[in-house]
Amino acid sequence: MSGGTTPGRYRAEAARTLAERPSVRTAVTSATDHSNVNRGRAYATIDSERWRDWARDTKTHLLTHLDRYLEQAEASLLRNGVRVHWAETAADALTALSGIVREHELKRAIKGKSMLTEELGVNAHLEGLGVHVREADLGEYIVQMLGEPPTHIVGPAIHKSLADCQRLFHERFGTALDADPDTLARAARAVLREEFLSADLGISGANFLAADTGTIALIENEGNIRLSTSLPRIHVAFVGIEKLVPRLEDVAGFVQLTTRASTGQPIGNYVSLIQGPRRVGEIDGPDEVHVIFVDNGRTRLLADEAAWEALRCVRCGACLNICPVYRQTGGHAYGWTYGGPIGAILAPALLGLEESMPLPFASTLCGACADVCPVRIPIPDLLLHWRERAVEAGLSSTSEAVGLSAFTKAAEHPALFGAAGTLLRWLPWRAGGRALPILGGWLQERSAPEPSAKSFRQLWKDGIE
Ligand code: SF4
């Protein structure tokens, strides 16, 4: 964000620019359509309503006893030989990482896909320490080469078309401009194999962490996370404190529900359950495993009685895929790590209300996100909550505030209300919509029906037939 640009203005400009780029819209819409169809099919193969109730209740139980489960998880991890770090802020998490890097004189990092590491700015931090960092997920690798952040929680490069990737790989690796996707994947794999083999630091997130056994569960489709966590001599897992589940057997249910909601798969191609560093006699695995538990605003959100349910999120991306706003803009327009509906309800809590504007308003409130969410987060209710908070804090748009205050005045005075209604039924349509600037943009894309000659109140008075 450039200096002097407000977050709201920056996001509005980014959204406009992206919405005007047909290639982004086409690529995002096509990818999310695919995921939506697959999710619908996958939900239909199970009693998804019951599974979602179970997932909601399990996560709610976990969050309402989070202190106890965090203590249990720490004890389990220590028992497994894992070193545990606690980070209240992003800076604390990065300081813990710096300590590990310096202690082991680490020089090359390979990173499995993790949104939390994006939230914390891990790559830039490592580069500042002189550590070479390579993203191992193919989509993440593509956006890393382009110097862009991911556009989607699950599909970091879904805003790129095949032609975009063909051009990029041609420039970087010399593949043919019409190379098929398999050829592109092979070219990336050849480079990444060397990166895996030369890395001394492997970084991951965690989809879930079972408090009773200290097991870190990771879901993926490409195998890059498994290599990132087993080949380098040090593995560091960044774990948001809300990622716990009470028991290892809960992981089985969450893994299957998350992939169904996300990509429509009954289960990810690779599910890794990490139980600690390599033990005597084992042929692979790191010498040390570190878990950095990250708060970074999460306990503040947990304490918010009206908004805490956002912490149930399992980062499946289903709400992004179905959201009519996200599908037009992609994730970059949201201007921070988490795009789409979940980003709009996490941003006010994790970034602060002012910094997050106008994300709580970037929704039609159609409710489709809540219909698909596997942990039943009431996203529209939480969006309304943050909108109310924004209005109370004087952060809503001036034109909206003026318009609503004028409406309130008119609604309190029947004669004024009637006169305003007569004027509004006549004026904008005589002037082709231009008399109401608020409708100008709206009417560029739509036709408005001719208003009734009489108001409802007149019809009522005359006796509605
Ligand atoms: S809010 Fe629900 S649908 Fe959206 S990413 Fe989180 S779990 Fe998935």
Side-chain angles (χ1 to χ4, degrees):
M1 209 177 297
S2 60
T5 306
T6 62
R9 178 168 299 220
Y10 162 78
R11 291 195 173 102
E13 281 167 9
R16 198 170 300 118
T17 310
L18 286 163
E20 284 165 1
R21 276 170 49 194
S23 64
V24 170
R25 293 172 71 175
T26 307
V28 171
T29 307
S30 155
T32 51
D33 275 349
H34 189 68
S35 299
N36 283 330
V37 169
N38 289 345
R39 186 205 59 253
R41 286 198 191 121
Y43 270 10
T45 61
I46 55 171
D47 185 350
S48 59
E49 297 302 311
R50 246 178 88 199
W51 278 52
R52 292 167 69 207
D53 285 346
W54 166 82
R56 173 199 57 205
D57 294 346
T58 306
K59 271 289 188 181
T60 296
H61 168 78
L62 178 280
L63 290 166
T64 47
H65 301 83
L66 188 57
D67 49 349
R68 165 153 72 82
Y69 283 114
L70 282 169
E71 282 175 13
Q72 187 188 11
E74 181 181 37
S76 304
L77 287 163
L78 293 173
R79 213 169 36 243
N80 295 343
V82 175
R83 287 173 61 181
V84 178
H85 311 256
W86 296 95
E88 192 180 335
T89 63
D92 294 341
L94 298 176
T95 301
L97 179 61
S98 300
I100 299 165
V101 165
R102 292 202 180 98
E103 181 186 340
H104 296 280
E105 299 179 351
L106 303 171
K107 296 283 178 243
R108 297 180 71 83
I110 188 90
K111 187 150 86 60
K113 184 170 166 10
S114 151
M115 291 309 287
L116 178 55
T117 58
E118 295 289 333
E119 178 188 326
L120 300 172
V122 164
N123 284 12
H125 182 74
L126 282 173
E127 281 159 8
L129 294 173
V131 177
H132 165 88
V133 195
R134 180 64 69 225
E135 293 286 350
D137 172 272
L138 182 55
E140 289 281 357
Y141 184 31
I142 288 169
V143 291
Q144 186 185 27
M145 283 191 276
L146 292 167
E148 294 180 11
T151 198
H152 187 282
I153 295 174
V154 176
I158 60 165
H159 58 307
K160 296 294 170 195
S161 64
L162 175 59
D164 293 331
C165 296
Q166 286 167 327
R167 259 193 312 278
L168 174 69
F169 278 57
H170 174 70
E171 284 160 19
R172 294 293 177 122
F173 309 125
T175 48
L177 266 171
D178 60 353
D180 61 26
D182 285 348
T183 305
L184 302 182
R186 268 198 301 277
R189 185 184 301 160
V191 177
L192 289 174
R193 282 284 146 161
E194 292 308 312
E195 299 278 356
F196 284 122
L197 292 170
S198 61
D200 43 21
L201 170 62
I203 294 180
S204 76
N207 289 99
F208 306 101
L209 194 151
D212 60 346
T213 59
T215 308
I216 302 164
L218 289 153
I219 315 169
E220 55 165 332
N221 279 333
E222 297 171 11
N224 67 83
I225 293 180
R226 183 162 292 183
L227 289 172
S228 302
T229 55
S230 57
L231 285 176
R233 61 190 166 94
I234 306 295
H235 169 208
V236 177
F238 288 87
V239 184
I241 55 172
E242 81 283 16
K243 289 301 184 86
L244 296 190
V245 291
R247 303 164 306 167
L248 183 58
E249 64 187 83
D250 298 323
V251 170
F254 275 109
V255 164
Q256 295 176 70
L257 185 59
T258 301
T259 51
R260 279 188 163 88
S262 177
T263 55
Q265 294 165 278
I267 195 164
N269 291 348
Y270 297 85
V271 177
S272 301
L273 300 177
I274 296 172
Q275 199 70 18
R278 187 181 66 241
R279 292 183 172 79
V280 177
E282 291 181 342
I283 56 169
D284 59 15
D287 298 341
E288 281 186 19
V289 176
H290 295 253
V291 163
I292 302 180
F293 279 119
V294 180
D295 183 325
N296 205 30
R298 286 159 174 77
T299 41
R300 194 171 58 239
L301 177 54
L302 188 58
D304 186 331
E305 282 181 14
W308 66 272
E309 288 180 272
L311 288 169
R312 283 204 298 265
C313 178
V314 293
R315 307 283 191 269
C316 70
C319 59
L320 282 69
N321 298 336
I322 202 79
C323 175
V325 176
Y326 176 89
R327 285 161 56 79
Q328 296 301 310
T329 64
H332 291 168
Y334 292 77
W336 85 300
T337 312
Y338 306 103
I342 182 60
I345 57 173
L346 282 178
L350 302 190
L351 294 178
L353 194 52
E354 190 166 359
E355 186 63 22
S356 73
M357 292 300 289
L359 295 183
F361 294 86
S363 165
T364 62
L365 296 181
C366 67
C369 47
D371 288 347
V372 298
C373 177
V375 284
R376 295 198 188 282
I377 297 173
I379 300 171
D381 294 346
L382 301 192
L383 286 165
L384 285 173
H385 162 73
W386 289 116
R387 288 182 190 190
E388 282 170 19
R389 295 275 297 273
V391 171
E392 283 161 15
L395 293 169
S396 58
S397 87
T398 315
S399 56
E400 189 177 291
V402 169
L404 286 173
S405 139
F407 175 80
T408 308
K409 286 269 178 314
E412 285 169 354
H413 299 89
L416 190 58
F417 190 85
T422 304
L423 188 66
L424 284 173
R425 279 200 309 285
W426 180 79
L427 186 62
W429 279 265
R430 296 294 168 280
R434 287 187 300 279
L436 274 186
I438 200 167
L439 286 183
W442 182 262
L443 291 177
Q444 275 171 15
E445 304 287 336
R446 301 165 182 82
S447 55
E450 276 286 322
S452 159
K454 288 184 177 181
S455 71
F456 175 77
R457 281 144 56 103
Q458 284 166 331
L459 288 169
W460 185 263
K461 214 161 144 191
D462 295 350
I464 303 173
E465 306 259 317

mmCIF file of all heavy atoms in Angstrom, residues 410-452:
data_model
loop_
_atom_site.group_PDB
_atom_site.id
_atom_site.type_symbol
_atom_site.label_atom_id
_atom_site.label_comp_id
_atom_site.label_asym_id
_atom_site.label_seq_id
_atom_site.Cartn_x
_atom_site.Cartn_y
_atom_site.Cartn_z
ATOM 1 N N ALA A 410 -36.863 11.649 6.955
ATOM 2 C CA ALA A 410 -38.075 11.573 6.133
ATOM 3 C C ALA A 410 -39.057 10.566 6.713
ATOM 4 O O ALA A 410 -40.267 10.818 6.768
ATOM 5 C CB ALA A 410 -37.707 11.198 4.702
ATOM 6 N N ALA A 411 -38.519 9.428 7.181
ATOM 7 C CA ALA A 411 -39.401 8.375 7.689
ATOM 8 C C ALA A 411 -40.122 8.813 8.963
ATOM 9 O O ALA A 411 -41.177 8.282 9.299
ATOM 10 C CB ALA A 411 -38.584 7.108 7.949
ATOM 11 N N GLU A 412 -39.554 9.780 9.666
ATOM 12 C CA GLU A 412 -40.187 10.250 10.909
ATOM 13 C C GLU A 412 -41.306 11.269 10.640
ATOM 14 O O GLU A 412 -42.046 11.626 11.543
ATOM 15 C CB GLU A 412 -39.125 10.889 11.817
ATOM 16 C CG GLU A 412 -38.225 9.852 12.484
ATOM 17 C CD GLU A 412 -37.027 10.480 13.170
ATOM 18 O OE1 GLU A 412 -36.827 11.709 13.037
ATOM 19 O OE2 GLU A 412 -36.299 9.730 13.836
ATOM 20 N N HIS A 413 -41.375 11.780 9.389
ATOM 21 C CA HIS A 413 -42.377 12.807 9.067
ATOM 22 C C HIS A 413 -43.162 12.357 7.845
ATOM 23 O O HIS A 413 -42.678 12.455 6.716
ATOM 24 C CB HIS A 413 -41.698 14.158 8.799
ATOM 25 C CG HIS A 413 -40.925 14.657 9.985
ATOM 26 N ND1 HIS A 413 -39.607 14.334 10.207
ATOM 27 C CD2 HIS A 413 -41.305 15.433 11.026
ATOM 28 C CE1 HIS A 413 -39.200 14.890 11.344
ATOM 29 N NE2 HIS A 413 -40.220 15.569 11.852
ATOM 30 N N PRO A 414 -44.414 11.871 8.052
ATOM 31 C CA PRO A 414 -45.179 11.290 6.947
ATOM 32 C C PRO A 414 -45.307 12.215 5.735
ATOM 33 O O PRO A 414 -45.188 11.755 4.595
ATOM 34 C CB PRO A 414 -46.541 10.998 7.580
ATOM 35 C CG PRO A 414 -46.238 10.854 9.041
ATOM 36 C CD PRO A 414 -45.090 11.750 9.335
ATOM 37 N N ALA A 415 -45.532 13.515 5.961
ATOM 38 C CA ALA A 415 -45.725 14.418 4.818
ATOM 39 C C ALA A 415 -44.435 14.493 3.998
ATOM 40 O O ALA A 415 -44.438 14.434 2.765
ATOM 41 C CB ALA A 415 -46.131 15.811 5.314
ATOM 42 N N LEU A 416 -43.303 14.581 4.725
ATOM 43 C CA LEU A 416 -41.992 14.661 4.057
ATOM 44 C C LEU A 416 -41.701 13.362 3.301
ATOM 45 O O LEU A 416 -41.216 13.365 2.171
ATOM 46 C CB LEU A 416 -40.921 14.911 5.127
ATOM 47 C CG LEU A 416 -39.520 15.252 4.647
ATOM 48 C CD1 LEU A 416 -39.533 16.486 3.761
ATOM 49 C CD2 LEU A 416 -38.611 15.477 5.861
ATOM 50 N N PHE A 417 -42.065 12.237 3.939
ATOM 51 C CA PHE A 417 -41.842 10.930 3.327
ATOM 52 C C PHE A 417 -42.623 10.831 2.009
ATOM 53 O O PHE A 417 -42.101 10.391 0.981
ATOM 54 C CB PHE A 417 -42.284 9.832 4.303
ATOM 55 C CG PHE A 417 -41.889 8.450 3.878
ATOM 56 C CD1 PHE A 417 -40.639 7.947 4.190
ATOM 57 C CD2 PHE A 417 -42.770 7.646 3.166
ATOM 58 C CE1 PHE A 417 -40.264 6.671 3.798
ATOM 59 C CE2 PHE A 417 -42.405 6.380 2.768
ATOM 60 C CZ PHE A 417 -41.147 5.889 3.082
ATOM 61 N N GLY A 418 -43.908 11.298 2.057
ATOM 62 C CA GLY A 418 -44.754 11.246 0.856
ATOM 63 C C GLY A 418 -44.175 12.115 -0.245
ATOM 64 O O GLY A 418 -44.113 11.712 -1.419
ATOM 65 N N ALA A 419 -43.729 13.329 0.129
ATOM 66 C CA ALA A 419 -43.196 14.257 -0.882
ATOM 67 C C ALA A 419 -41.916 13.693 -1.494
ATOM 68 O O ALA A 419 -41.711 13.759 -2.715
ATOM 69 C CB ALA A 419 -42.930 15.611 -0.226
ATOM 70 N N ALA A 420 -41.061 13.111 -0.643
ATOM 71 C CA ALA A 420 -39.797 12.545 -1.143
ATOM 72 C C ALA A 420 -40.088 11.386 -2.091
ATOM 73 O O ALA A 420 -39.448 11.239 -3.135
ATOM 74 C CB ALA A 420 -38.934 12.072 0.025
ATOM 75 N N GLY A 421 -41.114 10.595 -1.738
ATOM 76 C CA GLY A 421 -41.481 9.464 -2.595
ATOM 77 C C GLY A 421 -41.944 9.941 -3.959
ATOM 78 O O GLY A 421 -41.564 9.398 -4.994
ATOM 79 N N THR A 422 -42.785 10.997 -3.973
ATOM 80 C CA THR A 422 -43.285 11.542 -5.240
ATOM 81 C C THR A 422 -42.117 12.022 -6.103
ATOM 82 O O THR A 422 -42.036 11.730 -7.297
ATOM 83 C CB THR A 422 -44.232 12.737 -4.955
ATOM 84 O OG1 THR A 422 -45.253 12.270 -4.091
ATOM 85 C CG2 THR A 422 -44.840 13.274 -6.243
ATOM 86 N N LEU A 423 -41.194 12.741 -5.451
ATOM 87 C CA LEU A 423 -40.033 13.276 -6.172
ATOM 88 C C LEU A 423 -39.178 12.141 -6.746
ATOM 89 O O LEU A 423 -38.783 12.172 -7.909
ATOM 90 C CB LEU A 423 -39.203 14.141 -5.213
ATOM 91 C CG LEU A 423 -38.074 14.930 -5.858
ATOM 92 C CD1 LEU A 423 -38.648 15.996 -6.796
ATOM 93 C CD2 LEU A 423 -37.223 15.595 -4.780
ATOM 94 N N LEU A 424 -38.942 11.114 -5.926
ATOM 95 C CA LEU A 424 -38.067 10.009 -6.353
ATOM 96 C C LEU A 424 -38.719 9.176 -7.452
ATOM 97 O O LEU A 424 -38.044 8.607 -8.290
ATOM 98 C CB LEU A 424 -37.715 9.119 -5.159
ATOM 99 C CG LEU A 424 -36.669 9.709 -4.226
ATOM 100 C CD1 LEU A 424 -36.509 8.837 -2.987
ATOM 101 C CD2 LEU A 424 -35.320 9.833 -4.924
ATOM 102 N N ARG A 425 -40.071 9.107 -7.430
ATOM 103 C CA ARG A 425 -40.738 8.343 -8.497
ATOM 104 C C ARG A 425 -40.676 9.081 -9.821
ATOM 105 O O ARG A 425 -40.747 8.495 -10.870
ATOM 106 C CB ARG A 425 -42.210 8.092 -8.127
ATOM 107 C CG ARG A 425 -42.411 6.945 -7.174
ATOM 108 C CD ARG A 425 -43.840 6.418 -7.212
ATOM 109 N NE ARG A 425 -44.841 7.453 -7.057
ATOM 110 C CZ ARG A 425 -45.127 8.045 -5.911
ATOM 111 N NH1 ARG A 425 -44.506 7.709 -4.810
ATOM 112 N NH2 ARG A 425 -46.047 8.985 -5.854
ATOM 113 N N TRP A 426 -40.488 10.372 -9.741
ATOM 114 C CA TRP A 426 -40.557 11.169 -10.972
ATOM 115 C C TRP A 426 -39.166 11.510 -11.512
ATOM 116 O O TRP A 426 -38.861 11.263 -12.659
ATOM 117 C CB TRP A 426 -41.342 12.447 -10.650
ATOM 118 C CG TRP A 426 -41.475 13.344 -11.829
ATOM 119 C CD1 TRP A 426 -42.347 13.220 -12.880
ATOM 120 C CD2 TRP A 426 -40.674 14.495 -12.104
ATOM 121 N NE1 TRP A 426 -42.148 14.213 -13.790
ATOM 122 C CE2 TRP A 426 -41.120 15.027 -13.331
ATOM 123 C CE3 TRP A 426 -39.637 15.151 -11.436
ATOM 124 C CZ2 TRP A 426 -40.573 16.152 -13.903
ATOM 125 C CZ3 TRP A 426 -39.090 16.276 -12.007
ATOM 126 C CH2 TRP A 426 -39.553 16.767 -13.228
ATOM 127 N N LEU A 427 -38.308 12.021 -10.592
ATOM 128 C CA LEU A 427 -37.077 12.679 -11.040
ATOM 129 C C LEU A 427 -36.053 11.771 -11.736
ATOM 130 O O LEU A 427 -35.677 12.039 -12.879
ATOM 131 C CB LEU A 427 -36.439 13.408 -9.849
ATOM 132 C CG LEU A 427 -35.239 14.269 -10.166
ATOM 133 C CD1 LEU A 427 -35.622 15.394 -11.136
ATOM 134 C CD2 LEU A 427 -34.672 14.865 -8.887
ATOM 135 N N PRO A 428 -35.617 10.674 -11.101
ATOM 136 C CA PRO A 428 -34.507 9.932 -11.703
ATOM 137 C C PRO A 428 -34.857 9.364 -13.071
ATOM 138 O O PRO A 428 -34.029 9.329 -13.963
ATOM 139 C CB PRO A 428 -34.246 8.794 -10.705
ATOM 140 C CG PRO A 428 -34.959 9.171 -9.472
ATOM 141 C CD PRO A 428 -36.053 10.093 -9.850
ATOM 142 N N TRP A 429 -36.098 8.955 -13.233
ATOM 143 C CA TRP A 429 -36.451 8.308 -14.496
ATOM 144 C C TRP A 429 -36.639 9.329 -15.616
ATOM 145 O O TRP A 429 -36.444 9.040 -16.776
ATOM 146 C CB TRP A 429 -37.693 7.438 -14.283
ATOM 147 C CG TRP A 429 -37.236 6.155 -13.675
ATOM 148 C CD1 TRP A 429 -36.948 5.013 -14.357
ATOM 149 C CD2 TRP A 429 -36.929 5.901 -12.315
ATOM 150 N NE1 TRP A 429 -36.486 4.056 -13.497
ATOM 151 C CE2 TRP A 429 -36.467 4.567 -12.220
ATOM 152 C CE3 TRP A 429 -36.994 6.649 -11.139
ATOM 153 C CZ2 TRP A 429 -36.077 3.984 -11.036
ATOM 154 C CZ3 TRP A 429 -36.613 6.071 -9.958
ATOM 155 C CH2 TRP A 429 -36.154 4.751 -9.914
ATOM 156 N N ARG A 430 -37.016 10.543 -15.232
ATOM 157 C CA ARG A 430 -37.088 11.590 -16.246
ATOM 158 C C ARG A 430 -35.676 11.948 -16.710
ATOM 159 O O ARG A 430 -35.438 12.315 -17.823
ATOM 160 C CB ARG A 430 -37.744 12.872 -15.680
ATOM 161 C CG ARG A 430 -39.179 12.692 -15.274
ATOM 162 C CD ARG A 430 -40.076 12.393 -16.506
ATOM 163 N NE ARG A 430 -41.405 11.953 -16.108
ATOM 164 C CZ ARG A 430 -41.703 10.712 -15.723
ATOM 165 N NH1 ARG A 430 -40.782 9.779 -15.703
ATOM 166 N NH2 ARG A 430 -42.922 10.386 -15.378
ATOM 167 N N ALA A 431 -34.709 11.822 -15.778
ATOM 168 C CA ALA A 431 -33.330 12.225 -16.105
ATOM 169 C C ALA A 431 -32.452 11.028 -16.431
ATOM 170 O O ALA A 431 -31.234 11.119 -16.377
ATOM 171 C CB ALA A 431 -32.755 13.000 -14.919
ATOM 172 N N GLY A 432 -33.089 9.889 -16.727
ATOM 173 C CA GLY A 432 -32.317 8.689 -17.119
ATOM 174 C C GLY A 432 -31.433 8.172 -16.010
ATOM 175 O O GLY A 432 -30.414 7.550 -16.266
ATOM 176 N N GLY A 433 -31.811 8.427 -14.760
ATOM 177 C CA GLY A 433 -31.017 7.897 -13.648
ATOM 178 C C GLY A 433 -29.887 8.815 -13.226
ATOM 179 O O GLY A 433 -29.333 8.655 -12.158
ATOM 180 N N ARG A 434 -29.589 9.833 -14.054
ATOM 181 C CA ARG A 434 -28.423 10.666 -13.730
ATOM 182 C C ARG A 434 -28.687 11.602 -12.572
ATOM 183 O O ARG A 434 -27.771 12.107 -11.944
ATOM 184 C CB ARG A 434 -28.005 11.473 -14.961
ATOM 185 C CG ARG A 434 -27.332 10.632 -16.044
ATOM 186 C CD ARG A 434 -26.800 11.508 -17.145
ATOM 187 N NE ARG A 434 -27.848 12.294 -17.783
ATOM 188 C CZ ARG A 434 -28.661 11.804 -18.718
ATOM 189 N NH1 ARG A 434 -28.541 10.559 -19.121
ATOM 190 N NH2 ARG A 434 -29.588 12.559 -19.262
ATOM 191 N N ALA A 435 -29.986 11.859 -12.270
ATOM 192 C CA ALA A 435 -30.279 12.788 -11.179
ATOM 193 C C ALA A 435 -29.894 12.210 -9.835
ATOM 194 O O ALA A 435 -29.731 12.923 -8.874
ATOM 195 C CB ALA A 435 -31.767 13.139 -11.186
ATOM 196 N N LEU A 436 -29.778 10.903 -9.762
ATOM 197 C CA LEU A 436 -29.337 10.289 -8.502
ATOM 198 C C LEU A 436 -27.970 9.675 -8.734
ATOM 199 O O LEU A 436 -27.868 8.588 -9.292
ATOM 200 C CB LEU A 436 -30.314 9.190 -8.070
ATOM 201 C CG LEU A 436 -31.520 9.616 -7.259
ATOM 202 C CD1 LEU A 436 -32.276 8.375 -6.819
ATOM 203 C CD2 LEU A 436 -31.135 10.441 -6.057
ATOM 204 N N PRO A 437 -26.901 10.356 -8.349
ATOM 205 C CA PRO A 437 -25.564 9.849 -8.631
ATOM 206 C C PRO A 437 -25.374 8.440 -8.094
ATOM 207 O O PRO A 437 -24.708 7.611 -8.699
ATOM 208 C CB PRO A 437 -24.639 10.839 -7.907
ATOM 209 C CG PRO A 437 -25.474 12.025 -7.584
ATOM 210 C CD PRO A 437 -26.906 11.616 -7.615
ATOM 211 N N ILE A 438 -26.039 8.135 -6.960
ATOM 212 C CA ILE A 438 -25.860 6.820 -6.352
ATOM 213 C C ILE A 438 -26.377 5.714 -7.275
ATOM 214 O O ILE A 438 -25.948 4.575 -7.235
ATOM 215 C CB ILE A 438 -26.548 6.797 -4.969
ATOM 216 C CG1 ILE A 438 -25.976 5.672 -4.145
ATOM 217 C CG2 ILE A 438 -28.042 6.687 -5.090
ATOM 218 C CD1 ILE A 438 -26.346 5.757 -2.690
ATOM 219 N N LEU A 439 -27.336 6.086 -8.153
ATOM 220 C CA LEU A 439 -27.887 5.099 -9.084
ATOM 221 C C LEU A 439 -27.182 5.107 -10.436
ATOM 222 O O LEU A 439 -27.404 4.235 -11.252
ATOM 223 C CB LEU A 439 -29.381 5.366 -9.313
ATOM 224 C CG LEU A 439 -30.320 5.003 -8.184
ATOM 225 C CD1 LEU A 439 -31.757 5.257 -8.618
ATOM 226 C CD2 LEU A 439 -30.155 3.555 -7.783
ATOM 227 N N GLY A 440 -26.360 6.144 -10.657
ATOM 228 C CA GLY A 440 -25.721 6.296 -11.966
ATOM 229 C C GLY A 440 -24.947 5.058 -12.367
ATOM 230 O O GLY A 440 -25.164 4.484 -13.430
ATOM 231 N N GLY A 441 -24.013 4.609 -11.506
ATOM 232 C CA GLY A 441 -23.189 3.436 -11.794
ATOM 233 C C GLY A 441 -24.041 2.183 -11.877
ATOM 234 O O GLY A 441 -23.870 1.337 -12.744
ATOM 235 N N TRP A 442 -25.013 2.096 -10.978
ATOM 236 C CA TRP A 442 -25.890 0.930 -10.930
ATOM 237 C C TRP A 442 -26.635 0.774 -12.251
ATOM 238 O O TRP A 442 -26.721 -0.310 -12.820
ATOM 239 C CB TRP A 442 -26.870 1.139 -9.768
ATOM 240 C CG TRP A 442 -27.830 0.023 -9.529
ATOM 241 C CD1 TRP A 442 -29.119 -0.061 -9.957
ATOM 242 C CD2 TRP A 442 -27.572 -1.176 -8.799
ATOM 243 N NE1 TRP A 442 -29.681 -1.233 -9.533
ATOM 244 C CE2 TRP A 442 -28.766 -1.937 -8.819
ATOM 245 C CE3 TRP A 442 -26.467 -1.685 -8.121
ATOM 246 C CZ2 TRP A 442 -28.877 -3.172 -8.203
ATOM 247 C CZ3 TRP A 442 -26.583 -2.923 -7.500
ATOM 248 C CH2 TRP A 442 -27.770 -3.646 -7.538
ATOM 249 N N LEU A 443 -27.124 1.909 -12.771
ATOM 250 C CA LEU A 443 -27.938 1.838 -13.977
ATOM 251 C C LEU A 443 -27.115 1.710 -15.260
ATOM 252 O O LEU A 443 -27.677 1.526 -16.326
ATOM 253 C CB LEU A 443 -28.853 3.082 -14.055
ATOM 254 C CG LEU A 443 -29.950 3.100 -12.969
ATOM 255 C CD1 LEU A 443 -30.757 4.367 -13.041
ATOM 256 C CD2 LEU A 443 -30.859 1.894 -13.076
ATOM 257 N N GLN A 444 -25.792 1.815 -15.134
ATOM 258 C CA GLN A 444 -24.968 1.583 -16.326
ATOM 259 C C GLN A 444 -25.100 0.133 -16.787
ATOM 260 O O GLN A 444 -24.961 -0.190 -17.957
ATOM 261 C CB GLN A 444 -23.494 1.859 -16.022
ATOM 262 C CG GLN A 444 -23.134 3.323 -16.171
ATOM 263 C CD GLN A 444 -21.733 3.577 -15.658
ATOM 264 O OE1 GLN A 444 -20.947 2.650 -15.453
ATOM 265 N NE2 GLN A 444 -21.426 4.830 -15.432
ATOM 266 N N GLU A 445 -25.303 -0.763 -15.832
ATOM 267 C CA GLU A 445 -25.322 -2.190 -16.143
ATOM 268 C C GLU A 445 -26.730 -2.784 -16.084
ATOM 269 O O GLU A 445 -26.925 -3.925 -16.411
ATOM 270 C CB GLU A 445 -24.447 -2.966 -15.131
ATOM 271 C CG GLU A 445 -23.012 -2.475 -15.034
ATOM 272 C CD GLU A 445 -22.200 -2.868 -16.239
ATOM 273 O OE1 GLU A 445 -22.560 -3.855 -16.898
ATOM 274 O OE2 GLU A 445 -21.225 -2.159 -16.542
ATOM 275 N N ARG A 446 -27.694 -1.983 -15.595
ATOM 276 C CA ARG A 446 -29.027 -2.555 -15.372
ATOM 277 C C ARG A 446 -30.096 -1.590 -15.860
ATOM 278 O O ARG A 446 -29.870 -0.393 -15.934
ATOM 279 C CB ARG A 446 -29.255 -2.784 -13.866
ATOM 280 C CG ARG A 446 -28.255 -3.708 -13.254
ATOM 281 C CD ARG A 446 -28.317 -3.607 -11.739
ATOM 282 N NE ARG A 446 -27.310 -4.466 -11.133
ATOM 283 C CZ ARG A 446 -26.046 -4.133 -10.995
ATOM 284 N NH1 ARG A 446 -25.609 -2.939 -11.381
ATOM 285 N NH2 ARG A 446 -25.182 -4.963 -10.450
ATOM 286 N N SER A 447 -31.285 -2.157 -16.127
ATOM 287 C CA SER A 447 -32.404 -1.257 -16.421
ATOM 288 C C SER A 447 -33.342 -1.303 -15.223
ATOM 289 O O SER A 447 -33.579 -2.368 -14.649
ATOM 290 C CB SER A 447 -33.112 -1.706 -17.683
ATOM 291 O OG SER A 447 -33.488 -3.048 -17.541
ATOM 292 N N ALA A 448 -33.817 -0.146 -14.832
ATOM 293 C CA ALA A 448 -34.716 -0.087 -13.680
ATOM 294 C C ALA A 448 -36.148 -0.093 -14.193
ATOM 295 O O ALA A 448 -36.446 0.518 -15.225
ATOM 296 C CB ALA A 448 -34.454 1.188 -12.892
ATOM 297 N N PRO A 449 -37.058 -0.787 -13.494
ATOM 298 C CA PRO A 449 -38.459 -0.770 -13.933
ATOM 299 C C PRO A 449 -39.059 0.626 -13.744
ATOM 300 O O PRO A 449 -38.642 1.362 -12.856
ATOM 301 C CB PRO A 449 -39.129 -1.789 -13.016
ATOM 302 C CG PRO A 449 -38.230 -1.889 -11.819
ATOM 303 C CD PRO A 449 -36.846 -1.562 -12.280
ATOM 304 N N GLU A 450 -40.001 0.963 -14.583
ATOM 305 C CA GLU A 450 -40.711 2.245 -14.401
ATOM 306 C C GLU A 450 -41.399 2.227 -13.046
ATOM 307 O O GLU A 450 -42.019 1.231 -12.683
ATOM 308 C CB GLU A 450 -41.775 2.401 -15.492
ATOM 309 C CG GLU A 450 -41.253 2.962 -16.791
ATOM 310 C CD GLU A 450 -40.963 4.462 -16.716
ATOM 311 O OE1 GLU A 450 -41.747 5.172 -16.062
ATOM 312 O OE2 GLU A 450 -39.945 4.900 -17.284
ATOM 313 N N PRO A 451 -41.284 3.299 -12.274
ATOM 314 C CA PRO A 451 -41.966 3.297 -10.975
ATOM 315 C C PRO A 451 -43.482 3.387 -11.146
ATOM 316 O O PRO A 451 -43.965 3.864 -12.174
ATOM 317 C CB PRO A 451 -41.412 4.555 -10.299
ATOM 318 C CG PRO A 451 -40.946 5.418 -11.408
ATOM 319 C CD PRO A 451 -40.545 4.527 -12.538
ATOM 320 N N SER A 452 -44.169 2.942 -10.110
ATOM 321 C CA SER A 452 -45.625 3.009 -10.123
ATOM 322 C C SER A 452 -46.070 4.479 -10.123
ATOM 323 O O SER A 452 -45.404 5.332 -9.538
ATOM 324 C CB SER A 452 -46.135 2.288 -8.874
ATOM 325 O OG SER A 452 -47.424 2.719 -8.577
#
